[in-house]
Structures are given as structure tokens and as C-alpha cells.
């Protein structure tokens, strides 16, 4: 299955900017697909994590924190649908934070930031290296998202749930020979 690359803290507020589409082309030997502008890539060609990380870091015009995960882990997360069937409010965005390494949760979930008064970020659950929750569209939100690192004891990078769904759609659309994950019926 493919690898997914999440770059942390790039193309946000004019900080550490680059053109993801150009980077994807430069990494064409790995069959890299750019997903949006936030430094998210689908790597379809089998490659070791170390080789991919080294190639990425050589091509980027700045130092970056790279978080990798297996595509199958995202497929499983979407299948389990941590948000349930209830629709999100228009002023609230669902997110997934990918923790760079297996850390230990250091607080009871759910947890809200700030802990008192009106929340800007709410972590409602976690599974393996994924934390999921909701945030309000507000300037203070990005600072509170940074507290997820402390919560899990390891750096994390966050993506909108719609981005995760988009990655899984790409993964499912690029199965070998267009076959879904189900087995082909036997020929008579």
C-alpha cells in the first residue's frame, strides 16, 4: 500500500512556503501525487521510508518535519469513521492530527483548549498515531492545535478531515487494475 507524507508547518501564513505540485514532479520517480497546498503527498511506488524521507528533505528549500504513515492506516481510520454520522456545524472543522511517533496520551480525552470557557480546539478521541477532533475557525486556533504535541508527547501535524477523505478516495481509485479491495469472483 502507498505511503502518505505529511509535512508539518509549511505553507501556513507565509511561513516556509514552497510549491507542492513542483515538489511532487521532482519526486516523480516515486509516483508522488500532491494533495492540496499544505504539504500532503500520496506516494504510490513502493519505497523505504528512509529513502523517501531523504529525497524529500534534499528537495525542500528549508528544514521540515516529515511525518509518514501507511495508506492502509488512513483507510482503516475512515472506515471506522471516528466522527460518526452526525453532521458537523458550519463553524466547526473536523480534523485528524498525525503524531510523528507513538507517544503516550498524557490526559483524559475528550480534552478542550482552552480548558475553561469557550473552546477553540477539542480532541475527542485517538487511535494509534491519530488524534481526531474539532476546531473553531478562529485566529487563536493554530496556537491551540500546537498543544496536541504536549498532549501526546510527540510532534503532530494536523489535516482537515476532508483532506483525509480525499487521500482515501485517491488510494481507492488507484488500486491495481482498478480492482477494489474485494476479491475477484472465480472464473467458471
Amino acid at each position: 500500500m502507498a505511503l502518505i507524507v505529511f509535512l508539518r508547518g509549511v505553507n501556513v501564513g507565509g511561513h516556509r512556503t514552497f510549491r507542492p505540485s513542483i515538489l511532487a514532479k521532482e519526486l516523480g520517480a516515486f509516483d508522488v501525487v500532491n494533495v492540496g497546498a499544505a504539504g500532503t503527498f500520496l506516494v504510490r511506488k513502493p519505497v523505504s521510508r528512509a529513502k523517501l524521507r531523504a529525497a524529500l528533505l534534499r528537495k525542500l528549500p528549508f528544514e521540515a518535519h516529515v511525518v509518514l504513515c501507511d495508506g492502509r492506516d488512513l483507510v482503516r481510520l475512515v472506515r471506522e469513521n471516528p466522527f460518526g454520522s452526525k453532521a458537523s456545524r458550519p463553524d466547526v472543522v473536523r480534523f485528524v492530527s498525525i503524531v510523528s511517533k507513538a507517544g503516550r496520551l498524557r490526559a483524559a480525552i475528550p480534552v478542550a483548549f482552552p480548558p475553561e470557557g469557550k473552546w477553540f480546539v477539542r480532541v475527542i478521541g485517538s487511535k494509534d498515531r491519530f488524534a481526531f477532533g474539532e476546531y473553531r475557525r478562529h485566529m487563536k486556533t493554530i496556537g491551540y492545535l500546537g498543544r496536541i504535541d504536549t498532549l501526546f508527547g510527540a510532534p503532530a501535524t494536523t489535516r482537515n478531515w476532508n483532506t483525509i477523505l480525499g487521500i482515501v478516495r485517491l488510494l481507492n481509485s488507484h488500486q491495481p487494475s482498478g480492482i477494489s479491495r474485494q476479491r475477484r469472483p472465480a472464473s467458471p
Side-chain angles (χ1 to χ4, degrees):
M1 168 82 47
L3 286 174
I4 312 302
V5 176
F6 300 96
L7 299 180
R8 177 183 160 129
V10 301
N11 286 354
V12 178
H15 181 64
R16 293 194 287 180
T17 59
F18 76 109
R19 305 242 340 249
S21 60
I22 292 173
L23 179 62
K25 285 180 186 173
E26 291 175 349
L27 296 169
F30 303 114
D31 195 10
V32 174
V33 177
N34 174 48
V35 182
T40 305
F41 303 94
L42 167 62
V43 181
R44 296 187 290 204
K45 184 175 179 183
V47 60
S48 77
R49 289 174 182 243
K51 184 175 182 178
L52 176 62
R53 184 182 306 275
L56 273 164
L57 294 175
R58 271 194 312 272
K59 297 285 184 185
L60 284 168
F62 46 76
E63 284 189 37
H65 189 84
V66 178
V67 179
L68 301 172
C69 78
D70 289 321
R72 73 177 135 261
D73 294 335
L74 288 183
V75 169
R76 189 176 314 115
L77 183 67
V78 167
R79 191 178 327 115
E80 293 170 0
N81 190 7
F83 298 103
S85 59
K86 185 177 176 186
S88 180
R89 295 187 348 225
D91 65 327
V92 173
V93 176
R94 291 175 171 166
F95 72 86
V96 174
S97 289
I98 303 90
V99 181
S100 60
K101 60 183 179 181
R104 261 188 30 209
L105 183 61
R106 298 179 176 187
I109 290 182
V111 63
F113 299 111
E116 303 293 326
K118 184 178 178 181
W119 61 269
F120 289 98
V121 173
R122 239 184 348 202
V123 178
I124 60 173
S126 70
K127 179 165 173 99
D128 302 322
R129 291 179 44 218
F130 301 112
F132 39 92
E134 305 171 312
Y135 64 79
R136 294 183 196 275
R137 297 177 191 275
H138 193 280
M139 293 299 292
K140 292 182 179 182
T141 296
I142 196 152
Y144 288 116
L145 283 169
R147 294 191 184 180
I148 293 172
D149 295 3
T150 305
L151 186 65
F152 286 87
T157 186
T158 300
R159 296 299 186 273
N160 182 309
W161 179 242
N162 289 333
T163 299
I164 302 300
L165 293 173
I167 293 167
V168 170
R169 276 192 297 276
L170 281 170
L171 287 166
N172 289 334
S173 70
H174 288 91
Q175 293 294 324
S177 305
I179 299 170
S180 70
R181 303 184 135 270
Q182 298 174 354
R183 295 180 72 112
R184 231 188 258 189
S187 304

